[in-house]
Amino acid sequence: MDASGGAALGEGCRLDLEELAAASGRGFCQAFADQLAQCVGADLVTVSGLKAGKAGHLKLVASWFDGLQLGDFEYDARGAPCLEVVQGGRPRVVPDRVQELYPKDWMFTEENINGYAGVPLKDAAGAVVGLVQAAWRQEPGAALAAEAAAVMQRFAPRLGAELAGLQTAAALAALARGPRSPAPRAAFRQLAEQLQAAFRVRSAFIAERCEDSPDRFRVLAVCEGGQASALCKDAVVRYEGTPCAFLHEGEPFLVPEGLPEMFPAQPHFRAQGLQAYLGIPLRDAEGQLFGHFALLHDRKIDQRVSRSGLSAVFAGRIALELRRRRAERRRRQAEQALLLRHKSESLGLLAGTIAHEFNNLLASMLGSSELALAHLEAGHAAQVHVQAVEAGLQGSARLMRQLLGYARGGGAPRPEPCDLNLIVREALALVPADCKLGKAVVLDLAEGPLTAQLDPAQAGQLLMQAVLNAVEAIGPGAGTVTVSTRRSRLSAAERRQLLKGRRMPAGPCLLLEVRDTGGGMGQDTVARVFDPFFSTKPGGRGLGLAAAMGIISNHRGGLMVESQVGRGSAFRFYFPAGAAETGRSAVAPAGPVPRANQTRRILVVDDEDTVRRAVAGLLQLRGCEVAQADGYDAALALLQAQGPFDGAVIDMSMPGRGGWETLARLLQVQPGLNAVMMSGYAFSAAEAGYPELDGVQVLDKPFTREKLYKALFR
């Protein structure tokens, strides 16, 4: 064998070996076709490659037909002897009567072909990649046809290598051009098609390891028989029991043949006649498996395929697309979290603005209704109506507290060392049976106490809202809500998936999960489920989960939602294991205790006349002497003229000089004044610039007279 790939030929059939030695690729194939046709007197010579994914189709690489080239086209080989050559992998020589043997081959009939010889072409792994063939109008006779076949066989290794190289180059060119569509899914589909075409296998698929379930992978694209398949796309598969499980070891995994016997738990291998598997793992920047691609074939896959440069090129390109997909997913998550934060800030501002005015109205009306009830005789006809008004006002107050809970997590939390398991048990014990709507609430709590710095009231409220939301999400009929707690570690990857609290430090944490067996939610619903007033339930106010968002934010925790339509939902609340202690809780020293039978003198300061008169009326019911002031200046004048007072009730938000500034000045005049702040939308003394008043008790408007008396006369 010389450099051209040929051997010395007889005088009757001599090729120009120097021309062939100087050529390569498509040029070599064309030069061979031209010389062979003239050497053996053939009317037609072609070199063709298998068309990947199209059974029975061939694509011309080089041709000679009556001295002309036929061009670059593909043809259906069914019914022709060339199909027998590539399928059987053996030469086929028909020196005469070829039209009688292959009547369905239209070209033989139209061109009056009577003799044929074809030889299969194989790549380095021994797989058939195409064929070279010659045909004659005049019967060539057995000797000439056999000699032509012998020449083709001598050059078959070189032709096969050139043909395989052209197919590899075509695959690389397609990879270099990139996806025809910028859409990620379209890119994976095109890559799967190119995989199958480049390696000439039965099917190829691309998969991504699930970030939220590392023991599973999601199939992103499948190509079978040259066509993208939607049957397995988006299927989530467990690694266990599949050949893909071996990719965790970090190396390509090859089953050259005998696939059904090696993996009997995968019956579709046998049903589809698949005999070989090759999987290539793909790793991220941290060296962790984050995806793979695999080839499946009904014949043997050679070891050399897994080590080929083409496999490495595909691995790099598919890994790049997977990284782009992951980056796009994280970008959407970041946008979603930013949108939630902006909603939280803007709606929180709106809530704070309207809460002060609305709670002032409620406070005056609730105080007036209590005064009316106090002055009505027992059994008065108006009593039941005033009580109904009072109940309605208290209901409105609860609704407003929910709105404020969204805006600021129900007020500043008062963390203390708490056992999360104990909070769960106590909170669920308060849920009435009729609120569970017949659903089973199952506890799956970690062993031992789970201690962290929590506000027990707010944490309990958060749990109750999540449980009641889960109960309603299940809908009519039976269902189960599972409440779980456990010690956990928040990884960097999990933190990036949080809807709230993505700045929460990674590391040890406590996890509270509420999972339901309801109908689940789509991504659009998940993005809005924490919006105030958004609800998918008829009559729902949609404030419960909004308040939960505020609570978890105030605890500097994290929130994640996992939900799929038809598969239920899981709400996960993360609490830092080492939340900061609250600031000092010094209480302003109480004022002088009045002597027996001495009337208490109380100063009420509020810019709203109706609120001021209602509070004064409630204090007068208790037998107090009340002085009223509409702001800073009036309060200071009254204290200087009529003081000292036994106590003061001061509105936090007033025009000009606010409540905290007013109290600070009054304490300068009367040190130790027993004061209570009231507010429709409270903010701390420290936020107002008076941290020394941080221990003063605050009453949220509207409040009952019992709460007022308890706060002022403690």
Side-chain angles (χ1 to χ4, degrees), residues 330 333-334 337 495-504:
R330 290 175 177 171
Q333 290 172 345
R495 184 177 58 182
R496 287 192 291 266
Q497 297 178 30
L498 295 178
L499 289 179
K500 187 73 175 178
R502 299 182 72 186
R503 294 183 179 179
M504 177 181 176

Side-chain angles (χ1 to χ4, degrees), residues 342-355 406-408 681:
H342 286 170
K343 287 179 180 179
S344 175
E345 291 172 351
S346 59
L347 291 171
L349 178 62
L350 174 63
T353 302
I354 67 175
Y406 163 75
R408 297 185 64 175
Y681 184 54

Side-chain angles (χ1 to χ4, degrees), residues 206-207 280-284 288-293 314-316 318-319 322:
I206 300 170
I280 306 292
L282 305 171
R283 297 192 170 274
D284 59 18
Q288 299 297 313
L289 179 73
F290 78 129
H292 64 275
F293 67 87
F314 268 105
I318 295 172
L322 284 176

Side-chain angles (χ1 to χ4, degrees), residues 91-111:
R92 180 80 167 103
V93 177
V94 184
D96 52 32
R97 298 182 301 109
V98 69
Q99 293 184 42
E100 297 178 20
L101 295 174
Y102 299 96
K104 294 183 179 180
D105 191 325
W106 59 269
M107 188 173 185
F108 285 178
T109 303
E110 288 188 3
E111 297 298 332

